Amino acid sequence: LSSVDECSWYNVTCTSGVVTGLWLDEYSLIGTIPPEISRLVQLDFISFRRNCLYGTIPSEMGQLSTLTYLRLQENALSGTVPDSIFGLSALEILYLQYQYNNDWTCTRSSGETVNVYFSEGDATNGMNLGLIGKILDDNLANLTSLRDIRVGYNQFSGVSEDRFHVS
């Protein structure tokens, strides 16, 4: 993703010089998740909890075949979960809850404050509605390793509490 050795970055985990994990919780990250994240082909876990990420989950994340842990809760993501995510057969943990109706803020390096209660952190865009669509449908059967899924505080349909912890 850059000319700098990513293994030297804080809270980036590497094995034999290859990035295997991103643990960037509460870093005031502002913006979208870049589709180029799929270039980190050995990622085992991603945790971007409680930042100011907005936009959609890139479908390219479905190319991360070794991913076991995907923790994106408490951001401002919107749209549907890409079908490609349901092809991640190694995925054990999927946390997507609290994408809307949040009232925390992140501060840009310029000092500007972004509030994720609003779409893309901008009050002129209206309220963020979170993730939408049907989450627990036939695609879920492909996630054979899934142990825990948390999807509350979104606009999902088809949520079943019988098999998974849904909060």
Side-chain angles (χ1 to χ4, degrees):
L1 297 176
S2 76
S3 61
V4 177
D5 177 19
E6 292 87 2
C7 294
S8 67
W9 295 354
Y10 189 71
N11 281 359
V12 172
T13 304
C14 291
T15 304
S16 302
V18 176
V19 177
T20 56
L22 302 172
W23 199 279
L24 302 174
D25 294 350
E26 299 185 51
Y27 268 72
S28 286
L29 300 175
I30 300 170
T32 60
I33 301 171
E36 292 82 6
I37 197 167
S38 66
R39 293 183 189 169
L40 300 172
V41 296
Q42 295 298 317
L43 276 176
D44 178 54
F45 68 88
I46 295 172
S47 187
F48 294 156
R49 183 184 69 86
R50 202 167 210 190
N51 283 289
C52 291
L53 299 174
Y54 53 79
T56 59
I57 298 171
S59 63
E60 291 84 353
M61 288 182 85
Q63 298 170 19
L64 299 171
S65 62
T66 60
L67 195 64
T68 61
Y69 190 96
L70 181 57
R71 186 173 152 168
L72 301 175
Q73 77 267 33
E74 299 178 275
N75 280 286
L77 298 170
S78 59
T80 60
V81 177
D83 287 341
S84 62
I85 296 296
F86 298 105
L88 296 173
S89 60
L91 195 64
E92 297 176 16
I93 304 293
L94 179 60
Y95 292 171
L96 301 173
Q97 74 267 31
Y98 292 104
Q99 298 299 329
Y100 87 102
N101 204 17
N102 300 316
D103 199 22
W104 58 82
T105 60
C106 298
T107 304
R108 298 183 193 275
S109 58
S110 66
E112 176 190 6
T113 299
V114 173
N115 183 331
V116 298
Y117 184 78
F118 302 106
S119 179
E120 298 184 17
D122 183 346
T124 62
N125 292 339
M127 186 176 155
N128 175 34
L129 296 177
L131 296 168
I132 60 172
K134 192 167 184 180
I135 185 70
L136 302 181
D137 59 11
D138 294 338
N139 284 334
L140 197 61
N142 297 330
L143 297 176
T144 55
S145 300
L146 195 63
R147 294 183 294 114
D148 193 7
I149 182 171
R150 298 181 186 194
V151 298
Y153 292 91
N154 283 293
Q155 301 294 318
F156 289 127
S157 62
V159 174
S160 169
E161 297 188 26
D162 296 338
R163 183 172 170 204
F164 299 101
H165 172 74
V166 179
S167 60

